[in-house]
Protein backbone atom coordinates (compact mmCIF):
# COMPACT_ATOMS: atom_id res chain seq x y z
CA UNK A 1 0.00 0.00 0.00
CA UNK A 2 3.05 2.25 0.07
CA UNK A 3 2.53 3.38 -3.53
CA UNK A 4 -1.09 4.26 -2.73
CA UNK A 5 0.03 6.35 0.24
CA UNK A 6 2.55 8.20 -1.92
CA UNK A 7 -0.04 8.79 -4.64
CA UNK A 8 -2.61 10.15 -2.17
CA UNK A 9 -0.02 12.37 -0.52
CA UNK A 10 1.04 13.76 -3.90
CA UNK A 11 -2.57 14.57 -4.77
CA UNK A 12 -3.37 16.25 -1.47
CA UNK A 13 -0.26 18.44 -1.59
CA UNK A 14 -0.32 19.22 -5.32
CA UNK A 15 -0.47 22.81 -6.49
CA UNK A 16 -3.15 21.90 -9.04
CA UNK A 17 -5.57 20.86 -6.27
CA UNK A 18 -4.69 23.73 -3.95
CA UNK A 19 -8.16 25.27 -4.31
CA UNK A 20 -9.95 21.97 -3.67
CA UNK A 21 -9.96 22.16 0.09
CA UNK A 22 -12.94 19.91 0.85
CA UNK A 23 -11.72 16.32 0.58
CA UNK A 24 -13.21 12.89 1.16
CA UNK A 25 -11.10 9.83 0.39
CA UNK A 26 -12.28 6.22 0.77
CA UNK A 27 -9.62 3.53 0.26
CA UNK A 28 -10.52 -0.12 0.84
CA UNK A 29 -7.12 -1.54 1.81
CA UNK A 30 -7.89 -4.28 4.32
CA UNK A 31 -7.01 -7.41 2.34
CA UNK A 32 -7.13 -9.63 5.44
CA UNK A 33 -10.83 -10.34 4.82
CA UNK A 34 -11.33 -11.71 1.26
CA UNK A 35 -15.12 -11.65 1.69
CA UNK A 36 -15.06 -7.85 2.12
CA UNK A 37 -11.94 -6.61 0.33
CA UNK A 38 -12.48 -4.82 -3.01
CA UNK A 39 -9.38 -2.57 -3.35
CA UNK A 40 -11.75 0.17 -4.53
CA UNK A 41 -10.80 3.77 -3.99
CA UNK A 42 -13.13 6.77 -4.22
CA UNK A 43 -11.34 10.12 -4.07
CA UNK A 44 -13.37 13.34 -3.99
CA UNK A 45 -11.82 16.81 -4.20
CA UNK A 46 -14.36 19.64 -3.91
CA UNK A 47 -13.57 23.18 -5.02
CA UNK A 48 -13.62 25.91 -2.40
CA UNK A 49 -16.14 27.90 -4.44
CA UNK A 50 -18.81 25.28 -3.68
CA UNK A 51 -20.49 26.14 -0.39
CA UNK A 52 -22.55 23.94 1.89
CA UNK A 53 -21.66 20.65 0.19
CA UNK A 54 -23.08 17.71 2.13
CA UNK A 55 -22.48 13.96 2.11
CA UNK A 56 -24.99 11.29 3.12
CA UNK A 57 -24.38 9.06 6.13
CA UNK A 58 -25.82 5.64 5.29
CA UNK A 59 -25.72 4.57 8.94
CA UNK A 60 -27.50 7.60 10.36
CA UNK A 61 -29.72 8.27 7.30
CA UNK A 62 -28.95 11.95 7.10
CA UNK A 63 -26.71 14.45 5.34
CA UNK A 64 -23.58 15.80 7.00
CA UNK A 65 -21.32 18.68 6.11
CA UNK A 66 -18.48 17.77 3.75
CA UNK A 67 -16.29 20.61 4.98
CA UNK A 68 -12.69 19.83 5.86
CA UNK A 69 -10.55 16.85 4.92
CA UNK A 70 -11.20 13.21 5.78
CA UNK A 71 -9.13 10.23 4.65
CA UNK A 72 -10.65 6.82 5.33
CA UNK A 73 -8.27 3.96 4.56
CA UNK A 74 -7.37 0.50 5.77
CA UNK A 75 -10.51 -1.12 7.15
CA UNK A 76 -13.39 1.19 6.19
CA UNK A 77 -16.29 -1.19 6.87
CA UNK A 78 -17.77 1.04 9.60
CA UNK A 79 -17.41 4.35 7.76
CA UNK A 80 -20.98 5.57 7.39
CA UNK A 81 -20.48 8.09 4.59
CA UNK A 82 -19.94 5.36 2.03
CA UNK A 83 -21.69 2.14 1.09
CA UNK A 84 -19.30 -0.62 -0.03
CA UNK A 85 -20.59 -3.89 -1.42
CA UNK A 86 -18.54 -6.93 -2.38
CA UNK A 87 -20.39 -9.13 -4.84
CA UNK A 88 -21.68 -12.34 -3.22
CA UNK A 89 -19.57 -15.44 -3.79
CA UNK A 90 -22.24 -17.06 -5.96
CA UNK A 91 -21.62 -14.40 -8.64
CA UNK A 92 -17.88 -15.06 -8.87
CA UNK A 93 -16.68 -17.35 -11.66
CA UNK A 94 -15.66 -20.72 -10.22
CA UNK A 95 -16.86 -19.42 -6.82
CA UNK A 96 -13.47 -17.86 -6.06
CA UNK A 97 -13.34 -14.39 -4.52
CA UNK A 98 -11.54 -11.59 -6.35
CA UNK A 99 -11.60 -7.83 -5.89
CA UNK A 100 -14.97 -7.10 -7.45
CA UNK A 101 -17.79 -4.95 -6.11
CA UNK A 102 -18.91 -1.34 -5.92
CA UNK A 103 -18.74 1.66 -3.59
CA UNK A 104 -21.34 4.41 -3.40
CA UNK A 105 -21.43 7.90 -1.95
CA UNK A 106 -24.36 10.35 -1.98
CA UNK A 107 -23.95 14.10 -2.29
CA UNK A 108 -25.98 17.27 -1.94
CA UNK A 109 -24.62 20.33 -3.73
CA UNK A 110 -27.03 23.23 -3.52
CA UNK A 111 -30.39 21.62 -4.25
CA UNK A 112 -28.93 18.90 -6.48
CA UNK A 113 -28.72 15.45 -4.89
CA UNK A 114 -26.97 12.57 -6.64
CA UNK A 115 -25.16 9.27 -6.08
CA UNK A 116 -21.64 8.50 -7.30
CA UNK A 117 -20.86 4.79 -7.66
CA UNK A 118 -17.47 3.28 -8.45
CA UNK A 119 -17.80 -0.29 -9.78
CA UNK A 120 -15.43 -3.10 -10.75
CA UNK A 121 -16.89 -6.02 -12.72
CA UNK A 122 -15.49 -9.39 -13.77
CA UNK A 123 -12.91 -9.73 -16.55
CA UNK A 124 -12.47 -12.19 -19.41
CA UNK A 125 -10.05 -14.89 -18.26
CA UNK A 126 -9.62 -16.76 -21.56
CA UNK A 127 -9.89 -15.66 -25.19
CA UNK A 128 -10.97 -19.14 -26.27
CA UNK A 129 -13.94 -19.05 -23.90
CA UNK A 130 -14.80 -15.47 -24.87
CA UNK A 131 -15.02 -16.37 -28.58
CA UNK A 132 -17.30 -19.40 -28.19
CA UNK A 133 -20.53 -17.41 -28.36
CA UNK A 134 -22.13 -14.05 -27.73
CA UNK A 135 -22.97 -13.16 -25.10
CA UNK A 136 -19.95 -15.01 -23.74
CA UNK A 137 -19.95 -16.72 -20.37
CA UNK A 138 -18.01 -13.76 -19.00
CA UNK A 139 -20.49 -11.28 -20.42
CA UNK A 140 -23.34 -13.19 -18.80
CA UNK A 141 -21.56 -13.03 -15.43
CA UNK A 142 -21.16 -9.27 -15.80
CA UNK A 143 -24.83 -8.92 -16.72
CA UNK A 144 -25.83 -10.83 -13.59
CA UNK A 145 -23.55 -8.69 -11.41
CA UNK A 146 -24.96 -5.49 -12.92
CA UNK A 147 -28.54 -6.64 -12.35
CA UNK A 148 -27.57 -7.34 -8.73
CA UNK A 149 -26.03 -3.86 -8.48
CA UNK A 150 -29.06 -2.17 -10.02
CA UNK A 151 -31.36 -3.96 -7.60
CA UNK A 152 -29.25 -2.72 -4.69
CA UNK A 153 -29.25 0.81 -6.12
CA UNK A 154 -32.91 0.69 -7.19
CA UNK A 155 -31.98 1.69 -10.75
CA UNK A 156 -35.03 2.34 -12.89
CA UNK A 157 -37.13 3.35 -9.89
CA UNK A 158 -34.61 5.55 -8.13
CA UNK A 159 -35.43 8.89 -6.64
CA UNK A 160 -31.76 9.85 -6.61
CA UNK A 161 -29.84 10.61 -9.83
CA UNK A 162 -26.99 8.15 -10.37
CA UNK A 163 -23.55 8.47 -11.94
CA UNK A 164 -21.92 5.02 -12.15
CA UNK A 165 -18.34 4.65 -13.37
CA UNK A 166 -15.26 2.45 -13.23
CA UNK A 167 -13.88 -0.71 -14.76
CA UNK A 168 -16.99 -2.41 -16.10
CA UNK A 169 -14.69 -4.80 -17.97
CA UNK A 170 -17.13 -4.65 -20.88
CA UNK A 171 -15.64 -6.54 -23.81
CA UNK A 172 -16.55 -6.57 -27.45
CA UNK A 173 -18.41 -9.41 -29.11
CA UNK A 174 -15.16 -11.37 -29.44
CA UNK A 175 -16.68 -13.99 -31.71
CA UNK A 176 -18.01 -11.31 -34.06
CA UNK A 177 -14.72 -9.38 -34.13
CA UNK A 178 -12.72 -12.51 -34.94
CA UNK A 179 -15.15 -13.49 -37.69
CA UNK A 180 -14.81 -10.04 -39.26
CA UNK A 181 -11.01 -10.05 -39.03
CA UNK A 182 -10.55 -13.60 -40.33
CA UNK A 183 -13.29 -13.95 -42.95
CA UNK A 184 -10.60 -14.65 -45.57
CA UNK A 185 -8.44 -16.83 -43.35
CA UNK A 186 -8.22 -20.51 -42.42
CA UNK A 187 -7.77 -21.55 -38.75
CA UNK A 188 -4.85 -23.82 -37.89
CA UNK A 189 -4.91 -25.32 -34.40
CA UNK A 190 -1.66 -25.69 -32.49
CA UNK A 191 -2.00 -28.31 -29.76
CA UNK A 192 0.04 -29.32 -26.74
CA UNK A 193 1.35 -32.79 -25.91
CA UNK A 194 -1.92 -33.28 -24.00
CA UNK A 195 -3.87 -32.54 -27.19
CA UNK A 196 -5.13 -29.23 -25.79
CA UNK A 197 -5.39 -26.20 -28.08
CA UNK A 198 -2.63 -23.72 -27.22
CA UNK A 199 -2.99 -21.36 -30.16
CA UNK A 200 -5.12 -20.78 -33.21
CA UNK A 201 -3.32 -19.39 -36.25
CA UNK A 202 -5.66 -17.79 -38.77
CA UNK A 203 -3.73 -18.00 -42.05
CA UNK A 204 -4.44 -15.99 -45.17
CA UNK A 205 -6.40 -18.14 -47.60
CA UNK A 206 -4.17 -16.97 -50.45
CA UNK A 207 -0.84 -17.11 -48.60
CA UNK A 208 -0.36 -19.84 -46.00
CA UNK A 209 2.81 -18.14 -44.77
CA UNK A 210 0.86 -15.05 -43.69
CA UNK A 211 -0.80 -15.28 -40.28
CA UNK A 212 -3.68 -12.80 -40.06
CA UNK A 213 -4.45 -13.41 -36.38
CA UNK A 214 -2.74 -15.41 -33.65
CA UNK A 215 -5.04 -16.31 -30.78
CA UNK A 216 -4.16 -17.89 -27.44
CA UNK A 217 -5.74 -18.12 -24.01
CA UNK A 218 -4.16 -14.77 -23.15
CA UNK A 219 -2.81 -13.82 -26.56
CA UNK A 220 -4.41 -11.76 -29.31
CA UNK A 221 -2.20 -10.41 -32.12
CA UNK A 222 -3.09 -9.25 -35.59
CA UNK A 223 -0.70 -9.07 -38.50
CA UNK A 224 -1.41 -5.31 -38.61
CA UNK A 225 -2.31 -4.81 -34.97
CA UNK A 226 -1.67 -1.09 -34.51
CA UNK A 227 -3.08 -0.09 -37.90
CA UNK A 228 -6.26 -2.01 -37.12
CA UNK A 229 -6.90 -0.66 -33.62
CA UNK A 230 -4.90 2.51 -32.89
CA UNK A 231 -6.79 5.57 -34.15
CA UNK A 232 -9.16 3.39 -36.15
CA UNK A 233 -11.66 2.34 -33.52
CA UNK A 234 -14.94 3.33 -35.16
CA UNK A 235 -15.47 -0.06 -36.81
CA UNK A 236 -15.22 -1.75 -33.40
CA UNK A 237 -18.24 0.08 -32.00
CA UNK A 238 -20.71 -2.21 -33.75
CA UNK A 239 -19.35 -5.01 -31.54
CA UNK A 240 -19.63 -2.97 -28.33
CA UNK A 241 -22.88 -4.66 -27.34
CA UNK A 242 -22.82 -5.15 -23.57
CA UNK A 243 -23.97 -1.61 -22.61
CA UNK A 244 -26.97 -1.90 -24.95
CA UNK A 245 -28.54 -4.42 -22.57
CA UNK A 246 -29.04 -1.61 -20.03
CA UNK A 247 -29.65 1.41 -22.26
CA UNK A 248 -33.25 1.70 -21.05
CA UNK A 249 -32.01 2.67 -17.60
CA UNK A 250 -28.53 4.06 -18.26
CA UNK A 251 -27.24 6.73 -20.62
CA UNK A 252 -23.71 7.18 -21.96
CA UNK A 253 -22.41 10.12 -23.95
CA UNK A 254 -21.05 9.31 -27.39
CA UNK A 255 -17.67 7.60 -27.41
CA UNK A 256 -15.12 9.28 -29.66
CA UNK A 257 -11.97 7.90 -28.06
CA UNK A 258 -9.95 4.69 -28.51
CA UNK A 259 -10.66 1.55 -26.45
CA UNK A 260 -9.35 2.06 -22.91
CA UNK A 261 -7.75 -1.40 -22.58
CA UNK A 262 -5.22 -3.14 -22.87
CA UNK A 263 -2.46 -0.56 -23.34
CA UNK A 264 1.24 -1.32 -23.13
CA UNK A 265 2.70 0.03 -19.90
CA UNK A 266 6.29 0.62 -21.02
CA UNK A 267 5.84 2.70 -24.17
CA UNK A 268 4.48 6.13 -25.09
CA UNK A 269 1.04 4.90 -24.10
CA UNK A 270 -0.58 4.63 -27.52
CA UNK A 271 0.10 0.95 -28.31
CA UNK A 272 -1.98 -2.03 -27.25
CA UNK A 273 -0.69 -5.20 -25.65
CA UNK A 274 -1.13 -8.42 -27.59
CA UNK A 275 -3.23 -10.07 -24.91
CA UNK A 276 -6.89 -9.18 -25.53
CA UNK A 277 -8.99 -7.58 -28.21
CA UNK A 278 -9.00 -3.83 -27.37
CA UNK A 279 -12.25 -2.84 -25.64
CA UNK A 280 -13.94 0.05 -23.87
CA UNK A 281 -13.70 -1.47 -20.40
CA UNK A 282 -13.71 1.83 -18.52
CA UNK A 283 -16.94 3.82 -18.76
CA UNK A 284 -19.16 6.45 -17.18
CA UNK A 285 -22.94 6.03 -17.26
CA UNK A 286 -25.80 8.19 -16.00
CA UNK A 287 -29.29 7.29 -14.95
CA UNK A 288 -32.03 9.16 -16.80
CA UNK A 289 -32.60 11.33 -13.74
CA UNK A 290 -28.89 12.18 -13.62
CA UNK A 291 -28.94 13.15 -17.29
CA UNK A 292 -31.60 15.74 -16.46
CA UNK A 293 -29.08 17.43 -14.15
CA UNK A 294 -26.50 17.93 -16.91
CA UNK A 295 -26.51 21.37 -18.51
CA UNK A 296 -26.41 20.70 -22.26
CA UNK A 297 -26.49 24.37 -23.30
CA UNK A 298 -23.40 25.73 -25.10
CA UNK A 299 -20.93 27.43 -22.78
CA UNK A 300 -19.94 31.08 -23.08
CA UNK A 301 -16.29 30.18 -23.71
CA UNK A 302 -17.14 28.22 -26.88
CA UNK A 303 -16.18 24.96 -25.21
CA UNK A 304 -18.53 21.98 -25.55
CA UNK A 305 -20.93 21.57 -22.60
CA UNK A 306 -19.82 17.94 -22.14
CA UNK A 307 -16.40 16.37 -22.54
CA UNK A 308 -16.11 12.57 -22.45
CA UNK A 309 -12.63 11.26 -23.20
CA UNK A 310 -9.58 9.27 -22.15
CA UNK A 311 -7.08 10.73 -19.70
CA UNK A 312 -3.41 10.54 -20.68
CA UNK A 313 -4.11 9.25 -24.17
CA UNK A 314 -0.48 9.73 -25.23
CA UNK A 315 1.11 8.78 -21.90
CA UNK A 316 1.99 5.44 -20.33
CA UNK A 317 -0.48 5.05 -17.44
CA UNK A 318 -1.00 1.31 -17.07
CA UNK A 319 -3.00 -1.23 -19.04
CA UNK A 320 -6.24 0.71 -18.41
CA UNK A 321 -6.60 4.36 -19.39
CA UNK A 322 -8.77 6.47 -17.06
CA UNK A 323 -11.90 7.97 -18.57
CA UNK A 324 -13.19 11.43 -17.63
CA UNK A 325 -16.55 13.16 -17.90
CA UNK A 326 -16.49 16.94 -17.63
CA UNK A 327 -19.88 18.63 -17.43
CA UNK A 328 -21.85 21.31 -15.59
CA UNK A 329 -24.76 20.32 -13.37
CA UNK A 330 -27.85 22.46 -13.15
CA UNK A 331 -30.13 22.68 -10.15
CA UNK A 332 -33.89 22.24 -10.27
CA UNK A 333 -35.37 23.90 -7.17
CA UNK A 334 -37.66 21.58 -5.29
CA UNK A 335 -36.63 18.53 -7.31
CA UNK A 336 -34.98 16.88 -4.33
CA UNK A 337 -35.64 17.75 -0.73
CA UNK A 338 -32.91 16.46 1.56
CA UNK A 339 -35.30 16.43 4.51
CA UNK A 340 -37.44 13.86 2.70
CA UNK A 341 -34.58 11.53 1.77
CA UNK A 342 -34.18 8.24 3.52
CA UNK A 343 -31.82 5.31 3.17
CA UNK A 344 -31.38 3.48 -0.14
Amino acid sequence: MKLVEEFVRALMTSEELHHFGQIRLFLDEDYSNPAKYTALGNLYFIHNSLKDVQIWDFNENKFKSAAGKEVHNGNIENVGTKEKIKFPLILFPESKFSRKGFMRTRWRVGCAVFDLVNIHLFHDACNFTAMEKYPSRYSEVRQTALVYTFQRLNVGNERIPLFIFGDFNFRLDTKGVIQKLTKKAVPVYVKSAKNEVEKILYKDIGDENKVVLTLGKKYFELDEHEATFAGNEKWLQEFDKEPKLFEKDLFEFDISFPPSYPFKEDTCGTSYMRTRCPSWCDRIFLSRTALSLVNMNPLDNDKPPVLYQLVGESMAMGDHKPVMLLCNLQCFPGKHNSNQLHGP
Side-chain angles (χ1 to χ4, degrees):
M1 300 300 177
K2 183 178 180 181
L3 291 177
V4 176
E5 292 178 7
E6 293 176 356
F7 175 68
V8 169
R9 188 181 305 111
L11 285 177
M12 296 185 68
T13 58
S14 68
E15 182 63 29
E16 291 80 1
L17 294 177
H18 176 70
H19 296 292
F20 292 77
Q22 304 171 80
I23 299 174
R24 289 296 183 277
L25 308 185
F26 304 91
L27 303 167
D28 183 16
E29 299 174 320
D30 184 12
Y31 54 83
S32 64
N33 187 349
K36 297 287 187 180
Y37 179 54
T38 65
L40 288 170
N42 291 17
L43 287 67
Y44 302 103
F45 293 83
I46 305 165
H47 198 272
N48 295 337
S49 62
L50 293 176
K51 307 300 182 183
D52 193 29
V53 177
Q54 297 179 318
I55 186 170
W56 183 261
D57 190 306
F58 290 91
N59 291 339
E60 299 182 15
N61 281 345
K62 67 178 183 180
F63 278 106
K64 294 182 174 181
S65 172
K69 302 177 182 180
E70 292 184 8
V71 178
H72 304 285
N73 57 359
N75 186 325
I76 61 173
E77 297 303 316
N78 295 323
V79 176
T81 48
K82 65 91 191 74
E83 179 188 33
K84 181 174 70 71
I85 301 294
K86 176 103 172 198
F87 292 127
L89 185 60
I90 192 173
L91 295 183
F92 284 81
E94 301 176 0
S95 296
K96 293 182 179 179
F97 271 131
S98 59
R99 299 172 297 177
K100 304 296 188 292
F102 64 89
M103 182 152 57
R104 166 166 64 160
T105 54
R106 175 170 295 169
W107 300 86
R108 183 176 185 270
V109 182
C111 59
V113 177
F114 50 88
D115 282 355
L116 300 178
V117 176
N118 181 10
I119 192 168
H120 189 189
L121 293 179
F122 304 97
H123 64 279
D124 284 16
C126 174
N127 288 327
F128 293 147
T129 302
M131 67 175 286
E132 289 176 353
K133 62 173 184 173
Y134 185 82
S136 71
R137 180 165 65 90
Y138 305 120
S139 177
E140 290 172 342
V141 170
R142 286 190 287 272
Q143 290 176 34
T144 302
L146 265 180
V147 169
Y148 172 86
T149 302
F150 292 167
Q151 289 173 344
R152 291 295 302 252
L153 300 177
N154 203 24
V155 171
N157 299 303
E158 76 284 351
R159 296 161 297 154
I160 309 301
L162 167 70
F163 296 81
I164 183 168
F165 51 87
D167 182 6
F168 287 82
N169 260 315
F170 285 160
R171 306 302 170 96
L172 304 183
D173 172 2
T174 305
K175 180 179 180 180
V177 171
I178 291 175
Q179 287 177 339
K180 184 178 181 69
L181 292 172
T182 63
K183 58 185 177 182
K184 294 183 179 180
V186 177
V188 176
Y189 297 88
V190 180
K191 297 185 177 181
S192 67
K194 296 181 179 180
N195 202 36
E196 297 176 344
V197 176
E198 291 185 333
K199 286 186 178 181
I200 305 176
L201 308 178
Y202 291 89
K203 295 191 174 183
D204 192 304
I205 196 170
D207 182 0
E208 64 177 14
N209 294 318
K210 180 180 180 180
V211 179
V212 177
L213 171 66
T214 302
L215 191 72
K217 181 180 179 180
K218 296 184 178 181
Y219 195 80
F220 187 101
E221 181 173 18
L222 280 171
D223 177 49
E224 299 178 348
H225 202 87
E226 296 303 328
T228 303
F229 295 119
N232 186 30
E233 67 278 355
K234 285 293 185 181
W235 71 273
L236 286 172
Q237 291 187 353
E238 68 174 287
F239 300 101
D240 183 34
K241 300 177 180 179
E242 288 194 50
K244 292 180 173 59
L245 298 170
F246 305 97
E247 61 185 2
K248 179 176 70 71
D249 296 317
L250 294 181
F251 172 85
E252 182 181 27
F253 288 101
D254 291 340
I255 288 179
S256 59
F257 50 84
S260 64
Y261 171 88
F263 281 97
K264 291 182 178 179
E265 301 182 55
D266 56 353
T267 64
C268 63
T270 58
S271 298
Y272 290 104
M273 291 191 289
R274 273 56 167 173
T275 53
R276 311 288 187 197
C277 177
S279 302
W280 288 276
C281 293
D282 308 276
R283 321 282 282 250
I284 302 172
F285 294 93
L286 295 73
S287 67
R288 297 294 167 174
T289 49
L291 181 61
S292 68
L293 290 178
V294 178
N295 185 358
M296 300 299 294
N297 296 320
L299 303 180
D300 294 337
N301 55 12
D302 294 328
K303 292 183 179 180
V306 173
L307 192 61
Y308 186 37
Q309 65 181 38
L310 289 183
V311 175
E313 190 168 338
S314 60
M315 299 177 62
M317 299 185 68
D319 56 345
H320 287 261
K321 294 278 189 187
V323 174
M324 64 164 282
L325 174 64
L326 178 64
C327 62
N328 289 326
L329 300 185
Q330 54 191 350
C331 180
F332 297 102
K335 185 73 174 180
H336 297 290
N337 185 338
S338 64
N339 295 322
Q340 296 175 350
L341 290 175
H342 302 288

